[in-house]
Amino acid sequence: MQLILKPYILKLKHTFTISRESRDEQPSLIVQLREDGFSGYGEATSNPYYNVSIKGMMRDLEQIEPLIADSSGMPPEEFWEKMASQLPNNKFALCALDLAYNDLYARKEGKKLYELWDYDIDNNPLSDYTIGIDTIEKMVSKMEEMPWPIYKIKLGSDRDIEIVKELRKHTDAVFRVDANCGWTADETIANAIALKELGVEFIEQPLPADDWEGHKKVFENSVLPIIADESCQVEADVEKCYQYFHGVNVKLTKCGGLTPARRMLVQARQLGMKTMVGCMTESTVGISAIAHLLPLLDYVDMDGALLLGEDIATGVSLEDGKVIYSDLNGTGVTLTA
Ligand SMILES: [Mg+2]
């Protein structure tokens, strides 16, 4: 099994601003695993909050290249365990590798990933479309250029309720909000009352990741459900979030790929929590992997590729929030750049 690493700089359609940062481009690493005429593809983007660089991912993957070459044919769960022990501090690199391996494995089996896992795709949730922080006029125009049934609005400015009030004048779509750790507990409890009246469905990660006392207070007093993102990174965090959050937003890059993500989602549902998967501005390579998890989800935020000026692959696509799977096996991806 051959390992091929392809770094890209993905240009964004618009400058993307959240509570802690602003950016125009998104570096990304594509991992290709090739064997017997089949190729599997995985992806992980760089991320300053999680201290992840493309260079670091490439270095860590190159170091275990002989081990990867020697691991053909293993069941994906076994492959993940073996690789996780070699990449204890680089979940993003592990994610890209795990996605590529699952994709390759399913293609060799002649199945789409959701078929391999025996998932029923009839009740898949619709994806939201993310509106980054901007002037109200620009946020409205971003919404209008992308008519969509559900929007996720990034907040964490000093006029959050005013923003949502203004956006609400232009659409009846469902709103979700994501404060990316930008609020206090008391602000969150007060904002939830106003946001509920404005047709907001839930609040994602209002407080800093490690403010567990604050999370508890918000969990007990908020009139809207609260979904953990920055507070739920790896498998052990699902249990930590139980009775501190109403649900978890699992991201493939944070936890190390599809293999642990599936276990986390099953565990969250067993605990009676809402399940969500989010993205990290991946191209269609990463987004296509997420699509196969939809049967396990209540909510999904998989608009990453739509935020790009130019994509680097074909695979699953989104029509008004609904996922259209590719005809190809595995994740369904073909690289185009
Ligand atoms: Mg988030």
Side-chain angles (χ1 to χ4, degrees):
M1 187 163 47
Q2 188 190 357
L3 173 74
I4 301 160
L5 302 178
K6 299 182 174 179
Y8 289 88
I9 304 286
L10 307 173
K11 301 264 184 246
L12 304 186
K13 206 187 291 179
H14 300 289
T15 302
F16 189 67
T17 303
I18 66 169
S19 63
R20 60 178 165 257
E21 54 161 343
S22 225
R23 58 186 198 273
D24 294 301
E25 51 185 35
Q26 174 63 65
S28 188
L29 179 66
I30 301 296
V31 170
Q32 180 180 359
L33 290 175
R34 194 155 65 183
E35 187 176 45
D36 301 339
F38 293 95
S39 277
Y41 299 94
E43 177 172 17
T45 50
S46 67
N47 193 301
Y49 179 82
Y50 293 105
N51 207 8
V52 174
S53 69
I54 301 298
K55 218 168 127 184
M57 286 195 278
M58 291 180 73
R59 179 200 58 219
D60 288 356
L61 288 168
E62 276 159 3
Q63 270 175 8
I64 57 167
E65 194 174 353
L67 195 71
I68 295 169
D70 209 28
S71 301
S72 297
M74 278 184 175
E77 293 75 17
E78 211 177 295
F79 179 83
W80 187 85
E81 294 299 338
K82 188 172 170 184
M83 297 304 153
S85 69
Q86 301 297 316
L87 297 166
N89 301 313
N90 203 335
K91 292 282 189 291
F92 280 57
L94 179 60
C95 165
L97 185 58
D98 171 83
L99 265 52
Y101 191 79
N102 271 281
D103 184 22
L104 177 69
Y105 189 89
R107 288 187 202 232
K108 290 179 79 175
E109 294 284 310
K111 288 179 174 168
K112 296 181 173 63
L113 267 177
Y114 70 76
E115 293 170 342
L116 186 73
W117 298 333
D118 213 10
Y119 290 169
D120 176 0
I121 58 166
D122 286 349
N123 296 306
N124 279 352
L126 299 180
S127 176
D128 57 44
Y129 180 77
T130 306
I131 307 291
I133 298 172
D134 212 323
T135 63
I136 288 175
E137 300 75 57
K138 286 206 181 128
M139 290 174 84
V140 169
S141 82
K142 283 179 200 168
M143 250 176 25
E144 286 175 343
E145 93 185 16
M146 206 65 160
W148 212 254
I150 311 167
Y151 293 105
K152 182 162 117 172
I153 302 160
K154 291 289 191 178
L155 296 178
S157 72
D158 50 10
R159 54 197 173 102
D160 285 337
I161 302 301
E162 184 197 340
I163 289 174
V164 179
K165 264 187 194 156
E166 285 302 315
L167 298 185
R168 177 49 81 208
K169 291 177 187 165
H170 300 268
T171 177
D172 292 328
V174 172
F175 285 165
R176 299 164 177 173
V177 304
D178 186 352
N180 286 107
C181 314
W183 294 346
T184 64
D186 290 336
E187 266 175 330
T188 306
I189 293 163
N191 286 348
I193 296 169
L195 293 171
K196 190 177 182 186
E197 277 176 28
L198 290 165
V200 169
E201 186 178 30
F202 64 73
I203 299 171
E204 190 175 314
Q205 194 71 43
L207 312 184
D210 56 0
D211 182 5
W212 292 94
E213 201 182 314
H215 299 322
K216 192 69 170 177
K217 186 174 177 187
V218 169
F219 176 77
E220 285 169 352
N221 293 286
S222 168
V223 297
L224 284 178
I226 310 291
I227 308 294
D229 180 354
E230 286 86 341
S231 294
C232 184
Q233 298 180 23
V234 295
E235 281 187 85
D237 294 335
V238 174
E239 200 167 355
K240 283 191 206 159
C241 288
Y242 177 60
Q243 297 209 317
Y244 285 82
F245 291 90
H246 302 91
V248 289
N249 181 357
V250 172
K251 289 184 179 161
L252 302 180
T253 46
K254 290 188 301 185
C255 70
L258 288 162
T259 304
R262 289 170 66 208
R263 293 194 290 249
M264 290 168 80
L265 294 165
V266 168
Q267 186 191 4
R269 281 212 160 157
Q270 280 168 351
L271 291 169
M273 299 171 86
K274 294 287 187 189
T275 55
M276 174 171 182
V277 165
C279 60
M280 296 287 217
T281 337
E282 291 96 336
S283 75
T284 285
V285 176
I287 298 301
S288 295
I290 293 173
H292 295 266
L293 294 173
L294 288 173
L296 298 181
L297 306 183
D298 296 300
Y299 314 118
V300 67
D301 170 41
M302 51 182 290
D303 61 352
L306 300 173
L307 305 176
L308 303 180
E310 234 172 84
D311 206 343
I312 56 168
T314 56
V316 307
S317 55
L318 286 168
E319 277 176 25
D320 291 331
K322 186 177 161 35
V323 161
I324 314 293
Y325 290 94
S326 153
D327 291 332
L328 300 177
N329 289 328
T331 61
V333 160
T334 305
L335 272 192
T336 55

